Amino acid sequence: MVDGIRLGFVYALVALGYTMVYGIVRLINFAHGDVFMVGAFTAFYATTHYHWGFVPAMILAMVVCSFLAVIIERVAYKPLRDAPRIAALITAIGVSFFLEYFTALDFVFTPNFISYTPLPIKFKTWDVAGVTFSNVMLIVIAISTLLLVLLWYLVYRTKLGKAMRAVAWDKPTARLMGIDVDMVITFTFAIGAALAGVGGMLYVIVYPQIRTFLGVMPGLKAFIAAVFGGIGSIPGAFLGSLIIGMVETLSQGYLSSTLRDAIVFSILIIVLLFRPTGLFGEAAKEKA
């Protein structure tokens, strides 16, 4: 269960990107998992090749992922903003494949598995009342909680957050009120990608194997968590991620590691069949 909570916090950082982008532009950004992968590689090279510390490498991963997300949004998604949603969805899948195979080239990252050694954090474990805790688990939870609180403050306590909520609710009216809708959308992509960059770094510290397809499964599971919590809802994405993380870990521990993915994906099917709005989601409304 402790491992499930740790995994759930990492998924939450990725799921928030899905849910924020969907809330603003009604786009399921399937390339988000690959931005997560780029964050993992950035942190890996920063800490192992250039000997950066943990915090500077994490900040670098956030900056690189934000920059990449802004480029993707401006080049691939913005021209399709008024196109049918299926066009944007197919484009998102295309961007995802492009990132996976382009970064697999030898002059970018590599097509091979890489072991993340040495890790920027030395593992320490404690046994408390029969439950084993590690310093990595505490760091994952602390960083994720801090970023979630900062995101909550940004969205609900700042003028920019108010603009984000206005754009999510009604873009034409937001424009009439003087809000720069394009800037708000770009900023939303950047914030979501920064969180994914941190998630990528934390994920490969916990599971120290890196490859360019690294973001596929965590990205899909974070997407399921966002749907389960109610895509478009920040609290829903957080709670959904914790539940998905615990379901995955308990399935692996008590059933089988092969069955865990099937169980997690079955949650998506059940949610879509019986409660498509998720735990905290609202019925979809067509918006411009």
Side-chain angles (χ1 to χ4, degrees):
M1 184 171 289
V2 173
D3 289 342
I5 294 172
R6 179 186 63 188
L7 185 60
F9 272 92
V10 174
Y11 284 161
L13 293 174
V14 186
L16 286 169
Y18 278 112
T19 210
M20 288 172 64
V21 168
Y22 183 84
I24 292 285
V25 293
R26 293 297 186 266
L27 167 69
I28 298 173
N29 181 19
F30 281 112
H32 194 59
D34 301 293
V35 174
F36 167 92
M37 172 271 294
V38 170
F41 268 100
T42 302
F44 166 74
Y45 283 117
T47 57
T48 59
H49 287 53
Y50 301 100
H51 307 293
W52 286 33
F54 175 80
V55 174
M58 186 175 67
I59 294 172
L60 179 66
M62 295 174 75
V63 171
V64 170
C65 289
S66 295
F67 181 73
L68 175 62
V70 169
I71 297 295
I72 293 172
E73 193 275 327
R74 291 285 171 168
V75 174
Y77 299 150
K78 186 179 178 182
L80 298 173
R81 202 166 288 163
D82 297 322
R85 289 182 189 172
I86 188 66
L89 183 65
I90 293 171
T91 301
I93 295 172
V95 172
S96 174
F97 281 126
F98 170 78
L99 289 175
E100 288 163 9
Y101 286 96
F102 179 73
T103 55
L105 296 172
D106 287 324
F107 66 88
V108 185
F109 295 147
T110 173
N112 304 316
F113 278 91
I114 299 176
S115 292
Y116 195 161
T117 54
L119 290 171
I121 301 172
K122 291 185 178 178
F123 269 82
K124 293 181 181 177
T125 58
W126 302 275
D127 192 273
V128 180
V131 179
T132 302
F133 296 87
S134 72
N135 58 335
V136 171
M137 186 200 80
L138 297 178
I139 289 170
V140 167
I141 292 176
I143 292 174
S144 301
T145 303
L146 174 64
L147 292 175
L148 292 172
V149 170
L150 290 175
L151 178 64
W152 178 87
Y153 183 83
L154 172 71
V155 172
Y156 294 105
R157 291 289 185 270
T158 66
K159 290 180 70 174
L160 184 57
K162 189 179 291 184
M164 291 169 68
R165 286 182 283 137
V167 171
W169 184 251
D170 192 328
K171 290 186 187 61
T173 304
R175 281 197 181 91
L176 291 175
M177 299 296 290
I179 295 173
D180 188 339
V181 172
D182 289 337
M183 186 276 291
V184 170
I185 292 173
T186 300
F187 184 78
T188 303
F189 271 84
I191 292 294
L195 295 176
V198 176
M201 180 178 186
L202 297 178
Y203 186 84
V204 293
I205 288 175
V206 177
Y207 306 101
Q209 286 273 338
I210 310 178
R211 60 176 182 146
T212 56
F213 292 91
L214 167 76
V216 175
M217 287 304 282
L220 288 175
K221 289 174 182 174
F223 169 68
I224 293 171
V227 173
F228 184 45
I231 194 159
S233 165
I234 291 177
F238 175 66
L239 181 61
S241 298
L242 290 183
I243 293 174
I244 291 296
M246 293 183 68
V247 167
E248 181 179 340
T249 306
L250 292 174
S251 299
Q252 181 177 0
Y254 291 101
L255 296 174
S256 84
S257 58
T258 306
L259 196 58
R260 65 174 186 183
D261 293 339
I263 291 174
V264 170
F265 286 114
S266 68
I267 291 176
L268 176 64
I269 297 171
I270 292 170
V271 170
L272 291 177
L273 283 176
F274 296 103
R275 190 175 172 81
T277 58
L279 296 176
F280 293 91
E282 298 177 354
K285 297 170 182 167
E286 293 295 329
K287 298 174 186 175

